[in-house]
Amino acid sequence: MAQLPLLPSITNYTTSTFSTTSSSVSSSTSSVSSASTETSISSACISISSALSKKSSSKRAEKSKKKKSSSSKKKHQKKEDPISSAILTEDGIKIRAKTSSSTSNSNSSTPNPYSLSNSTSNVNSTLTINTSTTSFRSSTDSHLETASLISCVTCLSDNPANDSQGSNNNSHTTTSVNGQLPDNVVIPYGRILNAKYIDPIKKNNLIEIVFAKPRRHDVIPKKLTVSIENQYLNGDLLDEIMDRSYKNTKRNRSILVVINPFGGKRKAKKVFMSKAKPLLLASECSIDIAYTEYIGHGIKIAQELDIDKYDTIACASGDGIPHEIMNGLYRRPDRVKAFNKLAITQIPCGSGNAMSVSCHWTNNPSYATLCLIKSIEVRVDVMLCSQPSYVDQFPKLSFLSQTYGVIAESDINTESFRWMGSARFELGVAFNILQRKKYPCDIYVKYAAKSKNELKSRYLKHKTRESLRFQDELEEQQQGQLYGVIDGEAGYVPDPGSVTEEDFHIKYPFHEGVPNDWEKVDSNITDNLGIFYTGKMPYVAADTKFFPAALPCDGAIDMVITDSRTPFTRMAPILLALDRGSHVLQPEVIHSKILAYKLVPKLTNGLIAVDGEKFPLEPIQVEIMPRLCKTLLRNGVFVDTDFDSM
Ligand SMILES: Nc1ncnc2c1ncn2[C@@H]1O[C@H](COP(=O)(O)OP(=O)(O)OP(=O)(O)O)[C@@H](O)[C@H]1O
């Protein structure tokens, strides 16, 4: 690694010292240390609390009394916390009944009568802590908005997630929920982060699991010791649990986390430390952290990082950093190796988190981290952009979108309103549409599906093909043809395939002009252009499903165009349909699948935005680069957009 310039800003966290100590005692002490290490948020807490009256401080004193007495109770209880019996079901680990920890016979297969009667009488009332991966909560911006508030509250609470905030130590205390879960609760495999034998020598059926437990808007790691009753399992019980918990997923990822401390409302570091890091460490991922220090630093980090050291780059940022990372890797002489080895993903910590919403199906940082841990590596298409200013050095990759006109102006020109969060973008769009601003240009397109009917049938064909390919890969691997072994541990992991230098080949070089088989979009429309937006992911913001027909690797870009002359009475319902994605069905909206395009602006003032970043107002030529980049997708697909049924 050409690491020297990076060394000061990379912090290494290994998981070898992942703390397994329990529990209530350390969590109560940790609340003190986390409160003292908090900086910005705790000072916000202080100012909020000082603004509140003495009444609240006396309440706090009362609360802390209660807390002390409850923590001493907990200390007292600790010895007696019963260990639950549990069985492995198809969906997860089902808690049956408590057995006394002191008397529990870890090898006993005799069902506890209490457990039996309970399980039979409660067959229909089985509780599930979110049953499957598809039931992860899909959240909106509001989660991010509330994230800082939650941190604010929890930095004074017993949330173990705050234990190491702002510190560089690598030990995490995960508190235990022994004796706290009701019978018949199922902890889904999708939530299980880690498991180990209580007695690694005897390897009996006493297992400690670490799982992601919902807490307010988030998930946090919790430990639970269970005595597994299943007797029919052949082979190693722990392997069975881990295989089921990491089906199709790589375990123990080696992650370079790139944090943009400036991202979002400048809370990225705090959000990562409190919401994401505890989950990553609990699942025994190893993490290094790099902080971006200036605009474009992500490119340099990616150019210089040690590829051999990582399999994942997680951008704790908005969409700007994944864009930079991808372009840094693209500029490396060993880019083939880089794009084969590394998956680029996002932990949503910015104001625009389209990658997380589209790929992890959530904008919530802790749920996105859980998805990252459990996701499937998939190769996705990216787009290659060329403009006169930079094409002769390096063309630029874009994973999300390019836009000219109303959307570009609304995103970039409202930078100074960053404090408003995502609302700044929506206000900007509404303002520009009301003004009926037009953005004249010429557009030349190489179509893949021009009409809406063609687009729909192409979409359905590719969606089926993608899911079949995925099924085939799984079947092949399950037949033992491709058997993934990671860090000495075996598991079935779908192979996303690899790229060669051929895949970087540019089909339509910028200087060769527009090829003959490209069509010019009607000048009557382009001279009065309102919105020009091309994209590769369904969501461009948490509540904006701009490209509902986007697929990860259908080899095409989705293009949306509107005419600024469309009356506001028609534009209003179009804009109001953006959250559902049904705007593309409106007759006034042009919606096509394309392979490449060139846009030549006729304005001298204005801008083009690529992946939400400001690009020069110059002719831009873009082509699809199929399956170039690896990312992590929940269940191996983009979030469902319901486009099939529209
Ligand atoms: N330390 C820094 N100081 C200033 N800018 C930075 C710093 N680190 C990264 N940047 C720049 O911040 C920009 C936005 O980054 P990012 O997408 O992560 O955040 P964001 O809040 O979602 O922003 P946006 O809304 O613009 O997408 C990128 O262009 C990046 O280069």
Side-chain angles (χ1 to χ4, degrees):
M1 172 178 181
Q3 277 170 333
L4 283 178
L6 280 178
L7 279 175
S9 56
I10 289 193
T11 315
N12 180 264
Y13 297 87
T14 55
T15 51
S16 52
T17 55
F18 171 60
S19 171
T20 54
T21 52
S22 64
S23 89
S24 47
V25 179
S26 43
S27 71
S28 59
T29 51
S30 75
S31 67
V32 177
S33 71
S34 71
S36 63
T37 52
E38 294 295 334
T39 51
S40 54
I41 283 186
S42 50
S43 56
C45 287
I46 291 161
S47 62
I48 290 166
S49 7
S50 62
L52 297 170
S53 65
K54 284 172 194 166
K55 199 173 149 193
S56 68
S57 75
S58 71
K59 262 189 182 174
R60 257 203 317 276
E62 243 175 63
K63 262 190 191 170
S64 100
K65 252 190 194 174
K66 273 187 192 168
K67 207 172 167 186
K68 270 184 196 166
S69 81
S70 86
S71 90
S72 77
K73 260 188 208 165
K74 274 185 192 165
K75 264 189 217 174
H76 182 67
Q77 280 170 0
K78 203 180 136 193
K79 277 186 195 159
E80 289 152 29
D81 272 349
I83 288 168
S84 298
S85 298
I87 50 165
L88 304 194
T89 68
E90 220 170 271
D91 301 325
I93 297 183
K94 183 175 176 182
I95 307 302
R96 302 265 280 194
K98 283 128 199 116
T99 57
S100 160
S101 58
S102 49
T103 56
S104 120
N105 173 2
S106 56
N107 285 316
S108 166
S109 61
T110 319
N112 180 331
Y114 174 67
S115 145
L116 237 177
S117 64
N118 236 17
S119 58
T120 46
S121 63
N122 286 341
V123 161
N124 295 325
S125 63
T126 299
L127 294 165
T128 302
I129 303 179
N130 227 336
T131 47
S132 68
T133 46
T134 49
S135 60
F136 286 161
R137 186 180 1 204
S138 181
S139 12
T140 62
D141 251 345
S142 62
H143 286 110
L144 205 62
E145 301 297 312
T146 50
S148 55
L149 182 62
I150 292 164
S151 308
C152 182
V153 176
T154 55
C155 69
L156 298 173
S157 80
D158 66 349
N159 182 1
N162 291 298
D163 291 356
S164 65
Q165 277 192 22
S167 79
N168 284 350
N169 80 55
N170 57 5
S171 68
H172 268 268
T173 308
T174 302
T175 54
S176 145
V177 288
N178 282 357
Q180 291 173 28
L181 297 186
D183 297 347
N184 292 327
V185 157
V186 176
I187 301 169
Y189 295 117
R191 290 292 175 89
I192 295 175
L193 306 171
N194 204 2
K196 65 175 192 185
Y197 284 115
I198 292 288
D199 185 337
I201 307 198
K202 282 193 193 149
K203 294 191 172 183
N204 55 27
N205 58 350
L206 265 191
I207 306 274
E208 181 186 86
I209 58 166
V210 182
F211 69 104
K213 185 175 182 292
R215 185 183 190 269
R216 299 185 194 161
H217 292 299
D218 294 306
V219 275
I220 58 168
K222 288 282 181 187
K223 285 191 302 191
L224 177 71
T225 306
V226 284
S227 169
I228 303 286
E229 288 175 15
N230 303 55
Q231 292 297 304
Y232 56 84
L233 295 170
N234 304 317
D236 190 277
L237 177 60
L238 193 68
D239 285 348
E240 184 67 31
I241 294 174
M242 290 303 277
D243 284 350
R244 292 184 187 199
S245 304
Y246 282 86
K247 203 174 163 193
N248 305 329
T249 308
K250 258 188 194 172
R251 282 181 226 166
N252 311 119
R253 288 188 173 276
S254 301
I255 307 173
L256 174 64
V257 179
V258 182
I259 301 180
N260 174 5
F262 198 74
K265 294 179 187 170
R266 302 187 186 213
K267 294 279 190 329
K269 179 180 174 189
K270 174 92 43 198
V271 170
F272 173 78
M273 292 297 180
S274 61
K275 313 287 179 192
K277 191 177 137 198
L279 290 161
L280 294 174
L281 292 187
S283 38
E284 297 202 343
C285 293
S286 63
I287 55 177
D288 285 351
I289 296 183
Y291 294 94
T292 57
E293 289 163 5
Y294 49 85
I295 293 174
H297 190 190
I299 296 181
K300 192 157 185 268
I301 290 174
Q303 279 182 296
E304 294 176 350
L305 67 88
D306 181 354
I307 296 175
D308 294 323
K309 230 175 139 189
Y310 309 105
D311 52 41
T312 310
I313 304 184
C315 306
S317 66
D319 297 313
I321 301 304
H323 170 89
E324 290 182 6
I325 294 294
M326 214 169 274
N327 280 287
L329 297 182
Y330 181 70
R331 294 177 194 190
R332 292 176 67 116
D334 59 351
R335 62 189 180 183
V336 173
K337 181 177 172 190
F339 279 83
N340 282 330
K341 178 92 199 304
L342 300 165
I344 302 170
T345 188
Q346 180 181 55
I347 296 169
C349 297
S351 55
N353 303 309
M355 185 182 221
S356 180
V357 181
S358 300
C359 302
H360 299 314
W361 312 13
T362 176
N363 194 30
N364 173 296
S366 65
Y367 278 87
T369 305
L370 178 59
C371 284
L372 183 162
I373 293 163
K374 299 288 182 166
S375 279
I376 296 170
E377 272 189 11
V378 176
R379 255 185 200 289
V380 294
D381 306 333
V382 294
M383 300 160 285
L384 183 94
C385 308
S386 302
Q387 290 186 279
S389 313
Y390 53 81
V391 68
D392 291 330
Q393 287 104 43
F394 278 102
K396 292 193 176 162
L397 293 181
S398 155
F399 70 94
L400 178 63
S401 63
Q402 307 88 44
T403 181
Y404 168 71
V406 170
I407 305 282
E409 303 266 326
S410 312
D411 196 11
I412 308 289
N413 282 346
T414 54
E415 274 288 299
S416 50
F417 298 105
R418 182 168 283 276
W419 54 271
M420 287 174 73
S422 63
R424 78 173 213 253
F425 171 72
E426 283 139 34
L427 275 178
V429 172
F431 182 72
N432 283 329
I433 297 245
L434 269 174
Q435 286 193 319
R436 298 180 82 174
K437 269 178 99 169
K438 64 177 179 182
Y439 301 85
C441 59
D442 285 328
I443 303 172
Y444 307 87
V445 176
K446 167 102 178 146
Y447 286 103
K450 188 174 177 183
S451 72
K452 288 182 181 171
N453 281 342
E454 285 167 350
L455 184 146
K456 188 73 175 252
S457 61
R458 188 181 193 278
Y459 166 85
L460 292 173
K461 194 174 84 190
H462 279 268
K463 197 173 177 198
T464 318
R465 190 181 291 172
E466 280 180 19
S467 84
L468 284 179
R469 178 164 56 202
F470 184 62
Q471 287 301 327
D472 286 351
E473 275 167 11
L474 276 185
E475 272 168 30
E476 267 180 29
Q477 281 155 18
Q478 276 155 14
Q479 285 158 16
Q481 290 171 18
L482 293 159
Y483 195 64
V485 177
I486 304 114
D487 290 340
E489 294 180 62
Y492 294 113
V493 182
D495 179 3
S498 52
V499 288
T500 63
E501 190 54 45
E502 271 286 280
D503 296 292
F504 290 87
H505 173 75
I506 299 172
K507 268 205 203 78
Y508 307 110
F510 184 77
H511 295 302
E512 288 182 11
V514 175
N516 292 333
D517 61 343
W518 293 22
E519 277 181 49
K520 188 168 189 288
V521 178
D522 184 357
S523 322
N524 189 28
I525 295 169
T526 54
D527 282 344
N528 295 287
L529 186 116
I531 294 171
F532 174 85
Y533 212 164
T534 41
K536 217 20 260 188
M537 287 192 178
Y539 278 81
V540 295
D543 46 8
T544 313
K545 207 194 288 179
F546 212 99
F547 301 109
L551 290 168
C553 46
D554 65 347
I557 308 166
D558 283 41
M559 179 179 76
V560 171
I561 294 178
T562 66
D563 187 323
S564 63
R565 295 167 299 175
T566 310
F568 188 72
T569 48
R570 286 301 310 144
M571 270 320 277
I574 291 172
L575 294 178
L576 289 172
L578 283 178
D579 58 342
R580 297 186 304 278
S582 52
H583 58 289
V584 292
L585 306 179
Q586 304 298 321
E588 294 85 358
V589 175
I590 296 173
H591 184 208
S592 306
K593 289 255 178 204
I594 65 174
L595 302 177
Y597 71 88
K598 181 169 191 165
L599 183 145
V600 184
K602 290 184 182 168
L603 290 176
T604 47
N605 227 332
L607 51 93
I608 285 172
V610 175
D611 296 350
E613 303 299 310
K614 189 173 179 173
F615 270 54
L617 185 71
E618 293 174 349
I620 180 167
Q621 187 165 309
V622 178
E623 68 178 72
I624 191 84
M625 304 287 267
R627 291 164 62 83
L628 197 69
C629 183
K630 268 200 301 185
T631 192
L632 301 179
L633 300 184
R634 176 169 154 186
N635 295 349
V637 291
F638 279 156
V639 61
D640 194 14
T641 61
D642 290 328
F643 185 67
D644 315 36
S645 55
M646 276 181 200

